[in-house]
Every structure is written in C-alpha cells, then in structure tokens.
Amino acid sequence: MGMKPAKNRSRAIFEEVGVETPKQMPVAPKGGMIDARPKGARKALLVWMVSLIVLAVLQLGLDATPGFGIAELDLLQPYTGLALFAVWALGALGLALSRRLPPGWRLRVAGLGLGCLLLAASDPAPMSQLSKALAPEPAAAVLPQAGALPPLQLLPATPPTPAPVAAPPTPQERVAQAADLVVAQIDRAQTTLGAAPFATLRLGLAFALLGFAFWYALLAARTEAALIAARRQAEPGLFGLATGLMHLSFLQLLVGGLVTGIGAGAVFTDWPLMGGVWLPPDMLSLQPIWRNALENQALLQFSHRALGYLLLALAAFALIRSRRSVHAVTRMAFGLAAVWVLLQAVLGVVTLLHGDPLALRLAHLGGALVLWLFLIRARFLARYPRVQSIRGIK
C-alpha cells in the first residue's frame, strides 16, 4: 500500500527486510486547502462570517422598527446595508490579495456578495443622500435692476449666435446621475409591488443572507479532515427532513412579513377561529385575484396559521425520526429545533390574542431568527454529524 518494490533488483543475503531507500519510501499525502499552512484561512473565514451575521441581525432589527426609538440608531439605519456590503468587500479583497481563499469557496463568496449588494441597493436613502452630496449647486442668476437699464437702441439685424455647446458632465456629476437612476428604479419597484411586499422581500433577503453566512461559519468552524470524516456518516433522511423544515420556515417567514406589513395581525384577534368562523368568507374578495396573495388580510392570516400548523407537524415528525440517529449531538439539535418551533407557535398565538403589539411583534421576530439558526444547525449536523469515539466527540 503506497510503496512499490524496485524493479530488477535482488536483495542481499543479510539485507534487512523493510528498509527502503528514500526513493522507495511512501509519499505523504499533501492536504491543505482551507487548513493549509501558512495559507490557511479557516479562522479568518470564521471571523468574517460572524461579522456578516452580526450586521445582518442589526439590519433585521432596524428594519423591523427603525431606531428602536433611539435617535442615533435612527440615523444609522440607512447605512447598515452599505456597512454589510463594505465588510463583505473588505473580507473578499483581503482573502483574494493574500491568496488564502480556499478552493471551492469562490462561488460561495460571490453569492454572499450579490446578496449584500442587493440588500444595500434596496434602500433608496443612501443613494439619495449621495446624489444630494455630489450634485452641483445651481448658479444664482443675477438680474439687473429695472432702473439701471440703458435706453433701448435700434440695432441692425445680426445673425443669431449659435447656442453654446454644453460641457460634458464631470465624474462627480456622472456618479450623482447614476445615484438618481438607482433611486428612481427602487421607487418604481416599491410602487409596483407595494410597500409591504417590498419590505417583505428585504426581510427574506436578509434572512437568506444570514442563513448562508451561518452555514459557512459552521463549515469554517470544523477542520477539513473532520468534515471529510463526518460526511461519511451523514444521514440523508434527516438531512432531507431538515431541508424541508428550513424551506417551510422560510415561506412562513415571508407570509408573516406580509401579515405584519399590511396590519393583518390586528384584524382577527381570536384563536383558533377567525372572526368566529374557521374560514373567513372574504379570503378571495380582491380583484384581480392575484392581489389576494399580497393584500388580503384574511387570506394572509389564514395562510400564516395553516403554515404554522404544518410546520409543527413536520417538526414533530422530524423529532421522532431523529431519535433513531446514533449521534447524540444530532438528536439534541433536532430536539431543540422542535421545541423552539412549539415555543414560536405559542408566542405567535399570544401576540395575536393581544392585538399584535410592538413588543410582542419584535419578540416574535426574534424567535423566528433563533428558530432559523436552530434549523440550519440541525440540517448541518445531519450532513456533517459530530463523530463519536471512545475518547469522546471529535
């Protein structure tokens, strides 16, 4: 294994068997990639991903309630998206210049950058302020006083002078024009979709960015050898269940964002009925019919409740299925995710019964954030379980 005897060579009578020449010695495998030295980038990647997670959480909180009533945070809110993109750009540039970006991470880094750019560009406030700062001030026209005008004199007709050629715009003016164009496109998209769907898209984008960064942080927290060893003991059934739970919770998050955006949480404040009935009669009352999926308060709240029941059932099934896992950490992760699904459902009912106040709404959003991370962790451990040995957990 790993060594071939030399060809056309006979051993001496007293030559020791097992002693090889340097050319015959097996070559040690050269690993590395993310853990290679001196170009390893595992710790740098972990710090970078954690920074993006913190900024994404801050973006979610400030979007949910601008400034939390604090004037300083109110001024900071328009720039959190730009800060998120700046941190991504600095990290990507640093890893690229130092040539420490591991193979296989380029698409991941590019995807994160696209998400950060879309999140930063979806807020028109920074672009509007940039346009105002770079736009040249209009020159004040100075008109002569009426009493100072000389008497009019008849002059011979002369050919009209050609209009002066406009000077090309300066780079500063070009940037200001580009910023105005971006602001106009964002306003157009917001007008076309509506305020609530547009805010929900920003919410979903922030959660997706947070989820990818958290997954990559979990990858960076384990050595390459540990990931390869754990992949051999992956549990595809649990991984598929966790994937379904993750996507269903993301859909529930988007519907919840629409419910909050159009104020549907304060319309039907009874449970389990809605206005005293199981099915409200006006769930498809808007025309054209597609508007009901974005603006109908009865349909959106009913959908939010139905998705919550389905999420509870799937989480219970995943919990029962995870009991068969041989990995204790994986069983604990699925149990924690299932318990948090139940707590989040109870908190949603309490928020509903109290008329959707701001404090409970923020708590519900925070619970959704924690649940999102728990589900991603359970999915990760189903794909890369913690390998157990006699000496403990590796």
Side-chain angles (χ1 to χ4, degrees):
M1 302 296 292
M3 181 192 71
K4 294 183 179 179
K7 296 181 179 180
N8 301 327
R9 178 180 178 275
S10 59
R11 294 182 178 272
I13 298 177
F14 299 103
E15 183 178 356
E16 294 185 6
V17 178
V19 178
E20 294 84 10
T21 61
K23 294 183 179 180
Q24 295 174 306
M25 295 296 292
V27 180
K30 295 182 180 181
M33 300 179 71
I34 195 171
D35 293 314
R37 294 181 179 180
K39 295 183 179 181
R42 185 162 55 89
K43 293 182 179 180
L45 279 171
L46 183 59
V47 173
W48 187 29
M49 292 299 115
V50 171
S51 302
L52 292 177
I53 290 171
V54 171
L55 287 174
V57 172
L58 180 61
Q59 176 77 51
L60 283 170
L62 293 179
D63 279 355
T65 169
F68 294 100
I70 304 176
E72 290 76 7
L73 290 180
D74 221 359
L75 296 175
L76 179 65
Q77 191 271 339
Y79 303 101
T80 50
L82 289 178
L84 191 63
F85 180 74
V87 169
W88 171 85
L90 289 175
L93 183 62
L95 289 175
L97 291 179
S98 61
R99 297 182 180 180
R100 298 174 65 190
L101 189 64
W105 279 74
R106 293 181 180 178
L107 288 179
R108 297 170 180 173
V109 170
L112 282 177
L114 179 61
C116 293
L117 179 61
L118 289 176
L119 192 60
S122 60
D123 191 349
M127 291 296 175
S128 178
Q129 295 183 8
L130 178 64
S131 174
K132 292 179 181 179
L134 295 179
E137 297 183 359
V142 180
L143 298 178
Q145 298 294 328
L149 293 176
L152 295 177
Q153 297 180 0
L154 295 178
L155 299 176
T158 56
T161 57
V165 179
T170 63
Q172 179 180 350
E173 293 174 346
R174 291 182 184 273
V175 173
Q177 292 173 1
D180 288 337
L181 180 61
V182 172
V183 171
Q185 294 299 324
I186 295 175
D187 291 339
R188 182 179 179 182
Q190 190 170 1
T191 303
T192 304
L193 293 176
F198 189 80
T200 302
L201 284 180
R202 280 179 54 86
L203 178 73
L205 183 60
F207 263 86
L209 182 64
L210 177 65
F212 278 110
F214 185 60
W215 180 273
Y216 298 154
L218 292 175
L219 284 175
R222 306 266 293 271
T223 63
E224 185 181 343
L227 289 175
I228 295 175
R231 183 71 178 269
R232 299 181 186 135
Q233 301 191 27
E235 300 173 281
L238 278 181
F239 180 76
L241 278 175
T243 302
L245 273 171
M246 186 185 69
H247 287 94
L248 186 60
S249 66
F250 188 75
L251 179 60
Q252 173 74 322
L253 176 75
L254 295 179
V255 176
L258 286 174
V259 168
T260 302
I262 65 175
V267 176
F268 300 96
T269 57
D270 54 339
W271 183 84
L273 302 179
M274 294 180 60
V277 295
W278 290 102
L279 293 175
D282 54 349
M283 289 196 302
L284 298 175
S285 59
L286 300 180
Q287 295 297 331
I289 196 169
W290 60 265
R291 288 181 52 203
N292 293 280
L294 299 177
E295 302 175 15
N296 193 305
Q297 295 176 331
L299 179 61
L300 284 173
Q301 191 178 138
F302 179 81
S303 302
H304 194 51
R305 295 187 184 195
L307 286 174
Y309 301 146
L310 184 58
L311 192 61
L312 271 173
L314 188 59
F317 179 74
L319 176 62
I320 296 173
R321 176 64 179 79
S322 67
R323 296 298 93 189
R324 305 177 189 175
S325 175
V326 297
H327 306 288
V329 179
T330 303
R331 295 196 302 269
M332 186 179 301
F334 274 85
L336 188 60
V339 170
W340 202 265
V341 169
L342 179 60
L343 292 176
Q344 182 70 356
V346 172
L347 181 58
V349 173
V350 172
T351 304
L352 183 71
L353 295 177
H354 286 78
D356 198 24
L358 177 60
L360 289 178
R361 191 191 315 158
L362 290 177
H364 197 44
L365 176 63
L369 173 62
V370 175
L371 175 61
W372 180 242
L373 298 181
F374 280 165
L375 290 175
I376 292 175
R377 181 174 178 269
R379 182 175 182 265
F380 180 84
L381 290 174
R383 185 71 172 271
Y384 303 99
R386 290 281 182 178
V387 182
Q388 292 179 324
S389 63
I390 299 177
R391 296 181 179 179
I393 300 176
K394 295 181 180 180

